[in-house]
Amino acid sequence: MTSRRRLGRAATMRAARYRTTGNSPAASPTGPLHQLVDAFGITTVLLATVDAQGRLKGKEFDAASLVQRLRSGGLSPEMCGYVLGTDLGMTAARSGSFSWESGFGDVALLPDTQHARVLPWLPSTALVLAGPISVGLPHPLAPVTVLDEQEQRLAGLGLTAKVGVETEFVLFEGTARDAAAIGFRGLRPAVWDNRDYALDQPLPVREFSRRLRQVLAGAGLPVEAVKGEGAGGQVEVTFPYGPVAAACEQHVLFKHAAKAVADEQGMTASFMAALPGGVGSGMHLHVSLHDVDDQPVLLAGPEFGSGLSEPGEQAVAGLLTVLPALGPLWAPYVNSYKRLRDHSFAPTRLSWGRDNRSCAVRVVGHGRSLRLEVRVPGADANPYLASAAVLAGIRHGIESGLKPPAATRGDAYLDREAEPVPLSLAEAVSAFETSPLAGELLDEHVVAHLAAVARLDLEHHAAAVSDVELERGLTQA
Protein backbone atom coordinates (compact mmCIF):
# COMPACT_ATOMS: atom_id res chain seq x y z
CA MET A 1 0.00 0.00 0.00
CA THR A 2 1.44 3.37 -0.98
CA SER A 3 2.16 5.86 1.79
CA ARG A 4 1.18 8.82 -0.40
CA ARG A 5 -2.57 9.21 -0.29
CA ARG A 6 -4.59 11.29 -2.69
CA LEU A 7 -4.83 14.92 -1.64
CA GLY A 8 -8.59 14.93 -2.10
CA ARG A 9 -9.07 12.30 0.59
CA ALA A 10 -6.80 14.14 3.05
CA ALA A 11 -8.62 17.42 2.43
CA THR A 12 -11.98 15.73 2.98
CA MET A 13 -10.83 14.27 6.30
CA ARG A 14 -9.59 17.69 7.45
CA ALA A 15 -12.87 19.31 6.46
CA ALA A 16 -14.83 16.72 8.45
CA ARG A 17 -12.78 17.52 11.55
CA TYR A 18 -13.53 21.22 11.38
CA ARG A 19 -17.23 20.91 10.54
CA THR A 20 -17.80 19.77 14.12
CA THR A 21 -17.39 23.34 15.42
CA GLY A 22 -20.84 24.35 14.25
CA ASN A 23 -19.82 28.03 14.12
CA SER A 24 -20.14 30.45 11.23
CA PRO A 25 -16.82 31.40 9.62
CA ALA A 26 -17.13 34.98 10.87
CA ALA A 27 -17.55 33.88 14.50
CA SER A 28 -15.16 30.93 14.49
CA PRO A 29 -11.38 31.23 14.92
CA THR A 30 -11.03 28.65 12.14
CA GLY A 31 -12.16 28.93 8.54
CA PRO A 32 -11.16 30.25 5.12
CA LEU A 33 -8.18 32.55 5.43
CA HIS A 34 -9.73 35.53 3.65
CA GLN A 35 -12.71 35.47 6.01
CA LEU A 36 -10.51 35.36 9.11
CA VAL A 37 -8.43 38.27 7.81
CA ASP A 38 -11.57 40.40 7.52
CA ALA A 39 -13.30 39.21 10.70
CA PHE A 40 -10.33 39.36 13.07
CA GLY A 41 -8.19 42.13 11.56
CA ILE A 42 -5.39 39.69 10.74
CA THR A 43 -2.19 41.38 9.55
CA THR A 44 0.27 38.46 9.73
CA VAL A 45 -0.08 34.91 8.44
CA LEU A 46 2.23 32.08 9.42
CA LEU A 47 2.49 29.57 6.57
CA ALA A 48 3.90 26.52 8.32
CA THR A 49 4.44 22.80 8.25
CA VAL A 50 5.31 20.34 11.03
CA ASP A 51 8.96 19.29 11.13
CA ALA A 52 10.51 16.00 12.24
CA GLN A 53 10.54 17.19 15.87
CA GLY A 54 6.88 18.22 15.90
CA ARG A 55 7.53 21.98 15.65
CA LEU A 56 6.00 24.59 13.37
CA LYS A 57 8.41 25.70 10.64
CA GLY A 58 7.67 28.18 7.90
CA LYS A 59 7.50 31.85 6.95
CA GLU A 60 5.60 34.98 7.94
CA PHE A 61 3.50 36.72 5.28
CA ASP A 62 1.70 40.02 5.18
CA ALA A 63 -1.93 38.95 5.35
CA ALA A 64 -3.35 41.27 2.68
CA SER A 65 -0.57 40.47 0.23
CA LEU A 66 -0.90 36.74 0.81
CA VAL A 67 -4.67 36.77 0.26
CA GLN A 68 -4.18 38.70 -2.97
CA ARG A 69 -1.54 36.26 -4.20
CA LEU A 70 -3.77 33.33 -3.37
CA ARG A 71 -6.66 34.86 -5.30
CA SER A 72 -4.49 35.43 -8.34
CA GLY A 73 -2.93 31.97 -8.17
CA GLY A 74 0.49 33.54 -7.74
CA LEU A 75 1.64 31.49 -4.74
CA SER A 76 3.50 28.19 -5.06
CA PRO A 77 5.16 27.87 -1.63
CA GLU A 78 8.27 25.78 -1.14
CA MET A 79 10.61 25.16 1.76
CA CYS A 80 14.08 23.67 2.06
CA GLY A 81 13.43 19.98 2.49
CA TYR A 82 15.89 19.74 5.33
CA VAL A 83 13.19 20.83 7.80
CA LEU A 84 11.97 17.23 7.53
CA GLY A 85 15.39 15.76 8.19
CA THR A 86 17.29 17.75 10.82
CA ASP A 87 17.78 17.29 14.55
CA LEU A 88 16.73 19.61 17.38
CA GLY A 89 19.53 22.06 16.55
CA MET A 90 18.75 22.05 12.79
CA THR A 91 21.96 20.15 12.04
CA ALA A 92 22.40 19.45 8.34
CA ALA A 93 22.86 15.75 7.55
CA ARG A 94 25.76 14.60 5.37
CA SER A 95 23.73 11.98 3.50
CA GLY A 96 20.15 10.85 3.08
CA SER A 97 16.95 12.28 1.68
CA PHE A 98 17.60 15.84 2.93
CA SER A 99 21.34 16.35 3.15
CA TRP A 100 24.52 17.77 1.66
CA GLU A 101 24.58 14.68 -0.53
CA SER A 102 21.11 15.46 -1.89
CA GLY A 103 21.88 19.15 -2.44
CA PHE A 104 19.19 20.40 -0.05
CA GLY A 105 16.47 20.80 -2.63
CA ASP A 106 13.12 22.38 -1.89
CA VAL A 107 9.93 20.56 -0.95
CA ALA A 108 6.67 21.91 -2.35
CA LEU A 109 3.92 22.79 0.12
CA LEU A 110 0.15 22.64 -0.28
CA PRO A 111 -1.46 25.31 1.96
CA ASP A 112 -4.81 24.45 3.49
CA THR A 113 -6.22 27.98 3.25
CA GLN A 114 -9.78 26.82 3.85
CA HIS A 115 -8.90 25.82 7.42
CA ALA A 116 -6.76 28.66 8.67
CA ARG A 117 -6.72 29.41 12.40
CA VAL A 118 -6.40 32.57 14.47
CA LEU A 119 -3.50 32.43 16.98
CA PRO A 120 -4.50 34.70 19.88
CA TRP A 121 -1.10 34.30 21.57
CA LEU A 122 0.44 36.34 18.74
CA PRO A 123 -0.86 39.81 17.79
CA SER A 124 -3.22 39.88 14.77
CA THR A 125 -1.87 36.55 13.53
CA ALA A 126 -3.37 33.52 11.79
CA LEU A 127 -1.86 30.17 10.86
CA VAL A 128 -2.15 28.28 7.60
CA LEU A 129 -0.83 24.73 7.78
CA ALA A 130 0.76 23.40 4.62
CA GLY A 131 1.43 19.77 3.80
CA PRO A 132 4.74 18.80 2.15
CA ILE A 133 4.07 17.18 -1.22
CA SER A 134 6.07 15.17 -3.74
CA VAL A 135 4.93 14.71 -7.37
CA GLY A 136 1.50 15.95 -6.39
CA LEU A 137 0.99 13.61 -3.42
CA PRO A 138 1.64 13.98 0.32
CA HIS A 139 5.36 13.59 0.96
CA PRO A 140 5.96 10.09 2.38
CA LEU A 141 8.52 11.30 4.94
CA ALA A 142 6.41 14.10 6.42
CA PRO A 143 5.24 13.22 9.96
CA VAL A 144 1.65 14.03 9.00
CA THR A 145 1.84 11.49 6.15
CA VAL A 146 3.40 8.81 8.36
CA LEU A 147 0.43 9.09 10.72
CA ASP A 148 -2.11 9.25 7.89
CA GLU A 149 -0.74 6.00 6.50
CA GLN A 150 -1.33 4.24 9.82
CA GLU A 151 -4.85 5.65 10.09
CA GLN A 152 -5.66 4.40 6.60
CA ARG A 153 -4.33 0.93 7.32
CA LEU A 154 -6.36 0.75 10.52
CA ALA A 155 -9.41 1.87 8.53
CA GLY A 156 -8.79 -1.16 6.31
CA LEU A 157 -9.76 -3.25 9.34
CA GLY A 158 -12.98 -1.29 9.72
CA LEU A 159 -11.59 0.61 12.71
CA THR A 160 -10.82 4.19 13.63
CA ALA A 161 -8.95 5.47 16.66
CA LYS A 162 -9.56 8.48 18.85
CA VAL A 163 -6.92 10.00 21.08
CA GLY A 164 -6.79 12.24 24.11
CA VAL A 165 -3.36 13.76 24.79
CA GLU A 166 -2.13 14.42 28.30
CA THR A 167 1.23 16.15 28.52
CA GLU A 168 3.58 17.47 31.20
CA PHE A 169 6.09 20.29 31.08
CA VAL A 170 8.10 22.42 33.50
CA LEU A 171 7.90 26.18 34.04
CA PHE A 172 11.08 28.02 34.95
CA GLU A 173 11.61 31.58 36.11
CA GLY A 174 13.23 33.74 33.43
CA THR A 175 12.88 33.66 29.66
CA ALA A 176 14.73 31.36 27.27
CA ARG A 177 17.14 34.23 26.57
CA ASP A 178 17.82 34.49 30.32
CA ALA A 179 18.44 30.74 30.45
CA ALA A 180 20.89 30.92 27.54
CA ALA A 181 22.78 33.74 29.26
CA ILE A 182 23.57 31.48 32.23
CA GLY A 183 24.38 28.46 30.10
CA PHE A 184 21.04 26.77 30.84
CA ARG A 185 22.26 25.94 34.35
CA GLY A 186 20.97 27.19 37.67
CA LEU A 187 17.41 27.56 36.39
CA ARG A 188 14.82 28.06 39.10
CA PRO A 189 11.48 26.27 38.76
CA ALA A 190 8.46 28.55 39.01
CA VAL A 191 7.31 26.41 41.96
CA TRP A 192 9.85 25.26 44.51
CA ASP A 193 8.08 22.18 45.91
CA ASN A 194 5.67 19.37 45.00
CA ARG A 195 2.29 20.93 44.19
CA ASP A 196 0.70 17.87 42.61
CA TYR A 197 -3.05 18.51 42.35
CA ALA A 198 -2.59 21.63 44.51
CA LEU A 199 -5.04 24.49 44.09
CA ASP A 200 -2.79 27.03 45.83
CA GLN A 201 -0.27 27.57 43.04
CA PRO A 202 1.88 30.73 43.18
CA LEU A 203 0.44 33.76 41.38
CA PRO A 204 2.78 33.58 38.32
CA VAL A 205 1.75 29.97 37.68
CA ARG A 206 -1.94 30.76 38.09
CA GLU A 207 -1.62 33.66 35.67
CA PHE A 208 0.23 31.47 33.18
CA SER A 209 -2.48 28.82 33.38
CA ARG A 210 -5.26 31.38 32.99
CA ARG A 211 -3.60 33.04 29.99
CA LEU A 212 -2.79 29.72 28.33
CA ARG A 213 -6.37 28.47 28.66
CA GLN A 214 -7.63 31.82 27.37
CA VAL A 215 -5.55 31.90 24.19
CA LEU A 216 -6.13 28.23 23.39
CA ALA A 217 -9.88 28.66 23.75
CA GLY A 218 -9.64 31.72 21.51
CA ALA A 219 -7.97 29.56 18.88
CA GLY A 220 -10.73 26.96 19.06
CA LEU A 221 -8.48 24.59 21.05
CA PRO A 222 -9.96 24.46 24.56
CA VAL A 223 -8.16 22.34 27.14
CA GLU A 224 -9.95 19.85 29.37
CA ALA A 225 -7.94 20.56 32.51
CA VAL A 226 -4.72 22.06 33.85
CA LYS A 227 -3.12 20.82 37.07
CA GLY A 228 0.09 21.00 39.04
CA GLU A 229 2.30 17.92 38.75
CA GLY A 230 4.69 16.17 41.11
CA ALA A 231 7.90 18.11 40.48
CA GLY A 232 8.72 21.74 41.19
CA GLY A 233 7.26 23.92 38.42
CA GLN A 234 5.73 20.97 36.61
CA VAL A 235 2.33 21.38 34.94
CA GLU A 236 0.05 18.86 33.25
CA VAL A 237 -2.48 19.77 30.55
CA THR A 238 -5.20 17.39 29.36
CA PHE A 239 -7.10 17.82 26.09
CA PRO A 240 -10.49 16.43 25.04
CA TYR A 241 -10.21 13.27 23.00
CA GLY A 242 -11.06 13.16 19.32
CA PRO A 243 -9.71 12.19 15.86
CA VAL A 244 -6.02 11.36 16.02
CA ALA A 245 -4.69 13.84 13.44
CA ALA A 246 -6.72 16.68 14.97
CA ALA A 247 -5.37 15.82 18.44
CA CYS A 248 -1.81 15.89 17.13
CA GLU A 249 -2.34 19.25 15.42
CA GLN A 250 -3.79 20.62 18.65
CA HIS A 251 -0.77 19.41 20.60
CA VAL A 252 1.69 21.08 18.22
CA LEU A 253 -0.20 24.37 18.52
CA PHE A 254 -0.48 23.99 22.30
CA LYS A 255 3.30 23.73 22.65
CA HIS A 256 3.73 26.76 20.42
CA ALA A 257 1.26 28.69 22.58
CA ALA A 258 2.74 27.51 25.90
CA LYS A 259 6.20 28.71 24.93
CA ALA A 260 4.87 32.06 23.69
CA VAL A 261 2.78 32.66 26.82
CA ALA A 262 5.66 31.68 29.09
CA ASP A 263 7.99 34.10 27.31
CA GLU A 264 5.33 36.82 27.49
CA GLN A 265 5.21 36.36 31.27
CA GLY A 266 8.96 36.20 31.81
CA MET A 267 9.16 32.43 32.12
CA THR A 268 10.34 29.40 30.12
CA ALA A 269 8.22 26.33 29.35
CA SER A 270 10.41 23.25 28.87
CA PHE A 271 9.18 20.07 27.23
CA MET A 272 12.40 18.12 27.75
CA ALA A 273 11.68 14.53 28.76
CA ALA A 274 14.29 14.58 31.53
CA LEU A 275 15.60 17.54 33.52
CA PRO A 276 18.23 17.74 36.29
CA GLY A 277 17.16 16.36 39.63
CA GLY A 278 15.30 13.39 38.20
CA VAL A 279 12.37 15.40 36.83
CA GLY A 280 10.66 13.61 33.95
CA SER A 281 7.82 14.85 31.74
CA GLY A 282 5.66 12.49 29.72
CA MET A 283 3.11 12.68 26.94
CA HIS A 284 0.45 10.05 27.61
CA LEU A 285 -1.79 8.97 24.74
CA HIS A 286 -5.30 7.83 25.73
CA VAL A 287 -6.51 5.71 22.82
CA SER A 288 -9.94 4.27 22.06
CA LEU A 289 -11.03 2.17 19.07
CA HIS A 290 -14.32 2.45 17.20
CA ASP A 291 -16.04 0.47 14.46
CA VAL A 292 -17.67 1.81 11.28
CA ASP A 293 -20.78 2.75 13.29
CA ASP A 294 -18.59 4.68 15.78
CA GLN A 295 -19.24 2.06 18.47
CA PRO A 296 -16.38 1.38 20.92
CA VAL A 297 -14.72 -1.99 20.43
CA LEU A 298 -12.31 -2.23 23.39
CA LEU A 299 -15.00 -3.21 25.87
CA ALA A 300 -16.00 -6.87 25.97
CA GLY A 301 -19.63 -5.97 26.71
CA PRO A 302 -21.78 -4.48 29.48
CA GLU A 303 -21.93 -7.82 31.25
CA PHE A 304 -18.14 -7.81 31.59
CA GLY A 305 -17.94 -4.47 33.39
CA SER A 306 -14.43 -3.19 32.68
CA GLY A 307 -13.10 -6.20 30.79
CA LEU A 308 -11.29 -5.92 27.45
CA SER A 309 -12.78 -7.43 24.32
CA GLU A 310 -10.74 -9.81 22.19
CA PRO A 311 -9.68 -6.95 19.84
CA GLY A 312 -8.82 -4.95 22.96
CA GLU A 313 -6.52 -7.68 24.22
CA GLN A 314 -4.99 -8.02 20.76
CA ALA A 315 -4.36 -4.27 20.69
CA VAL A 316 -2.56 -4.45 24.04
CA ALA A 317 -0.45 -7.37 22.84
CA GLY A 318 0.43 -5.52 19.65
CA LEU A 319 1.56 -2.45 21.57
CA LEU A 320 3.82 -4.50 23.85
CA THR A 321 5.31 -6.20 20.77
CA VAL A 322 5.75 -3.19 18.50
CA LEU A 323 6.69 -0.30 20.80
CA PRO A 324 10.22 -1.59 21.55
CA ALA A 325 10.88 -1.85 17.80
CA LEU A 326 9.71 1.73 17.14
CA GLY A 327 11.54 3.53 19.95
CA PRO A 328 12.75 6.55 17.91
CA LEU A 329 9.12 7.47 17.15
CA TRP A 330 8.15 7.89 20.82
CA ALA A 331 11.56 8.62 22.40
CA PRO A 332 13.56 10.45 19.70
CA TYR A 333 16.53 11.91 21.62
CA VAL A 334 19.38 10.87 23.90
CA ASN A 335 17.66 12.78 26.70
CA SER A 336 14.36 10.93 26.15
CA TYR A 337 15.67 7.73 27.74
CA LYS A 338 16.84 9.45 30.94
CA ARG A 339 13.17 9.83 31.86
CA LEU A 340 12.61 6.05 31.88
CA ARG A 341 13.70 5.25 35.44
CA ASP A 342 12.36 2.95 38.13
CA HIS A 343 9.56 4.39 40.27
CA SER A 344 9.47 7.62 38.27
CA PHE A 345 5.92 7.14 36.89
CA ALA A 346 7.63 6.55 33.52
CA PRO A 347 7.63 2.85 32.55
CA THR A 348 10.78 0.76 32.46
CA ARG A 349 9.01 -2.51 31.58
CA LEU A 350 6.68 -3.29 28.67
CA SER A 351 3.83 -4.48 30.81
CA TRP A 352 0.13 -3.71 31.01
CA GLY A 353 -2.38 -3.55 33.81
CA ARG A 354 -5.76 -2.31 34.94
CA ASP A 355 -5.51 1.30 36.24
CA ASN A 356 -1.82 0.74 37.01
CA ARG A 357 0.40 3.77 36.47
CA SER A 358 3.58 1.73 36.75
CA CYS A 359 2.77 -0.06 33.47
CA ALA A 360 3.64 0.94 29.92
CA VAL A 361 0.01 0.38 28.85
CA ARG A 362 -2.66 1.24 31.41
CA VAL A 363 -6.22 0.11 30.83
CA VAL A 364 -8.39 2.83 32.31
CA GLY A 365 -12.01 4.01 32.22
CA HIS A 366 -15.37 2.28 32.35
CA GLY A 367 -18.02 1.40 29.82
CA ARG A 368 -17.78 3.48 26.64
CA SER A 369 -14.86 5.43 28.13
CA LEU A 370 -12.66 2.34 28.42
CA ARG A 371 -9.34 3.15 26.77
CA LEU A 372 -5.65 2.32 26.60
CA GLU A 373 -3.28 4.86 28.10
CA VAL A 374 0.12 4.49 26.43
CA ARG A 375 2.63 5.94 28.88
CA VAL A 376 5.97 5.46 27.12
CA PRO A 377 6.20 8.70 25.04
CA GLY A 378 7.95 11.67 26.61
CA ALA A 379 6.86 15.30 26.40
CA ASP A 380 9.57 15.76 23.76
CA ALA A 381 8.00 13.32 21.28
CA ASN A 382 6.52 14.40 17.96
CA PRO A 383 2.82 13.59 18.55
CA TYR A 384 2.30 12.54 14.92
CA LEU A 385 5.11 9.97 15.06
CA ALA A 386 4.30 8.75 18.58
CA SER A 387 0.66 8.26 17.56
CA ALA A 388 1.76 6.49 14.36
CA ALA A 389 3.78 4.03 16.48
CA VAL A 390 0.75 3.40 18.72
CA LEU A 391 -1.63 2.80 15.81
CA ALA A 392 0.92 0.52 14.12
CA GLY A 393 1.15 -1.55 17.30
CA ILE A 394 -2.61 -1.80 17.70
CA ARG A 395 -3.10 -2.79 14.07
CA HIS A 396 -0.35 -5.41 14.23
CA GLY A 397 -1.85 -6.99 17.32
CA ILE A 398 -5.33 -7.23 15.77
CA GLU A 399 -4.16 -8.41 12.34
CA SER A 400 -1.93 -11.08 13.90
CA GLY A 401 -4.42 -12.17 16.56
CA LEU A 402 -1.85 -11.71 19.32
CA LYS A 403 -2.52 -12.56 22.95
CA PRO A 404 -1.10 -10.41 25.75
CA PRO A 405 0.70 -11.80 28.78
CA ALA A 406 -1.07 -11.74 32.11
CA ALA A 407 -1.84 -8.25 33.37
CA THR A 408 0.63 -6.95 35.93
CA ARG A 409 -0.76 -6.44 39.40
CA GLY A 410 1.15 -4.27 41.81
CA ASP A 411 4.57 -2.79 41.08
CA ALA A 412 5.37 -3.24 37.36
CA TYR A 413 8.93 -2.01 37.94
CA LEU A 414 9.54 -5.34 39.70
CA ASP A 415 8.00 -7.47 36.94
CA ARG A 416 11.13 -9.18 35.62
CA GLU A 417 9.13 -11.26 33.16
CA ALA A 418 8.17 -8.15 31.20
CA GLU A 419 10.59 -6.95 28.52
CA PRO A 420 12.50 -3.79 29.48
CA VAL A 421 12.05 -0.64 27.44
CA PRO A 422 15.10 0.40 25.38
CA LEU A 423 17.75 1.80 27.69
CA SER A 424 19.23 4.35 25.29
CA LEU A 425 18.70 6.00 21.93
CA ALA A 426 21.60 3.97 20.50
CA GLU A 427 19.90 0.73 21.53
CA ALA A 428 16.56 1.93 20.20
CA VAL A 429 17.94 3.01 16.82
CA SER A 430 19.77 -0.27 16.38
CA ALA A 431 16.58 -2.24 17.11
CA PHE A 432 14.59 0.06 14.81
CA GLU A 433 16.96 -0.31 11.86
CA THR A 434 17.27 -4.08 12.11
CA SER A 435 13.66 -4.94 12.91
CA PRO A 436 11.79 -6.54 9.98
CA LEU A 437 8.61 -5.57 11.81
CA ALA A 438 9.47 -1.85 11.71
CA GLY A 439 10.01 -1.97 7.96
CA GLU A 440 6.81 -3.92 7.43
CA LEU A 441 4.69 -1.57 9.54
CA LEU A 442 6.13 1.77 8.44
CA ASP A 443 7.87 1.23 5.07
CA GLU A 444 11.62 0.77 4.86
CA HIS A 445 12.19 4.26 3.40
CA VAL A 446 10.49 5.83 6.43
CA VAL A 447 12.54 3.67 8.81
CA ALA A 448 15.81 4.67 7.14
CA HIS A 449 14.86 8.34 7.25
CA LEU A 450 13.79 8.44 10.90
CA ALA A 451 16.82 6.38 11.95
CA ALA A 452 19.08 8.89 10.19
CA VAL A 453 17.40 11.78 12.03
CA ALA A 454 17.88 9.99 15.36
CA ARG A 455 21.55 9.34 14.57
CA LEU A 456 22.10 13.10 14.22
CA ASP A 457 21.23 13.42 17.91
CA LEU A 458 23.57 10.55 18.77
CA GLU A 459 26.41 12.21 16.83
CA HIS A 460 25.85 15.52 18.59
CA HIS A 461 26.02 13.96 22.06
CA ALA A 462 28.99 11.75 21.18
CA ALA A 463 31.12 14.84 20.55
CA ALA A 464 29.89 16.86 23.55
CA VAL A 465 31.61 16.98 26.95
CA SER A 466 28.99 17.16 29.69
CA ASP A 467 29.12 18.90 33.05
CA VAL A 468 29.00 15.49 34.72
CA GLU A 469 32.12 14.39 32.82
CA LEU A 470 33.95 17.53 33.95
CA GLU A 471 32.83 17.11 37.54
CA ARG A 472 33.93 13.48 37.68
CA GLY A 473 37.04 13.64 35.57
CA LEU A 474 38.64 17.09 35.56
CA THR A 475 40.88 16.44 38.54
CA GLN A 476 40.40 12.71 39.08
CA ALA A 477 41.19 11.24 35.66
Side-chain angles (χ1 to χ4, degrees), residues 308-381:
L308 283 174
S309 64
E310 183 177 34
E313 291 185 344
Q314 293 167 345
V316 168
L319 287 167
L320 299 182
T321 301
V322 168
L323 288 175
L326 304 185
L329 276 73
W330 50 265
Y333 313 120
V334 168
N335 179 263
S336 305
Y337 296 83
K338 297 180 180 180
R339 163 181 165 264
L340 305 172
R341 299 176 300 104
D342 280 353
H343 300 104
S344 64
F345 287 100
T348 59
R349 297 275 169 177
L350 289 156
S351 59
W352 74 284
R354 174 70 198 177
D355 199 13
N356 189 335
R357 285 182 169 86
S358 64
C359 293
V361 179
R362 173 185 174 224
V363 180
V364 64
H366 304 274
R368 291 181 62 90
S369 73
L370 191 75
R371 60 196 183 273
L372 308 179
E373 180 190 17
V374 182
R375 297 175 59 83
V376 291
D380 56 352

Side-chain angles (χ1 to χ4, degrees), residues 376-391:
V376 291
D380 56 352
N382 182 328
Y384 289 93
L385 297 179
S387 297
V390 168
L391 297 192

Side-chain angles (χ1 to χ4, degrees), residues 3 39 64 79 86 119-120 129 138 156 171 191 197 246 384 421 440 455 465:
S3 64
M79 186 182 298
T86 58
L119 302 184
L129 284 173
L171 282 174
V191 179
Y197 287 99
Y384 289 93
V421 300
E440 174 188 332
R455 288 199 177 279
V465 178

Side-chain angles (χ1 to χ4, degrees), residues 13-23 28 30 115 117 162 220 241-243 246:
M13 291 177 65
R14 285 195 296 270
R17 294 204 300 270
Y18 289 102
R19 279 197 296 269
T20 60
T21 60
N23 297 323
S28 171
T30 64
H115 302 111
R117 186 185 298 274
K162 295 182 181 180
Y241 90 111

Side-chain angles (χ1 to χ4, degrees), residues 137-149:
L137 297 172
H139 199 292
L141 301 183
V144 176
T145 311
V146 174
L147 174 60
D148 182 60
E149 174 69 14

Side-chain angles (χ1 to χ4, degrees), residues 277-298:
V279 178
S281 292
M283 180 177 71
H284 303 153
L285 302 177
H286 290 253
V287 187
S288 60
L289 285 181
H290 302 261
D291 63 19
V292 293
D293 296 318
D294 199 32
Q295 295 301 309
V297 300
L298 291 178

Side-chain angles (χ1 to χ4, degrees), residues 171-175 178 190 202-215 257-268:
L171 282 174
F172 290 101
E173 295 178 353
T175 65
D178 298 331
L203 178 61
V205 176
R206 295 202 308 273
E207 282 299 300
F208 170 86
S209 174
R210 181 194 62 78
R211 174 68 172 153
L212 181 62
R213 287 184 285 107
Q214 179 187 59
V215 298
K259 292 182 178 184
V261 171
D263 187 68
E264 172 187 288
Q265 300 196 358
M267 294 189 287
T268 299

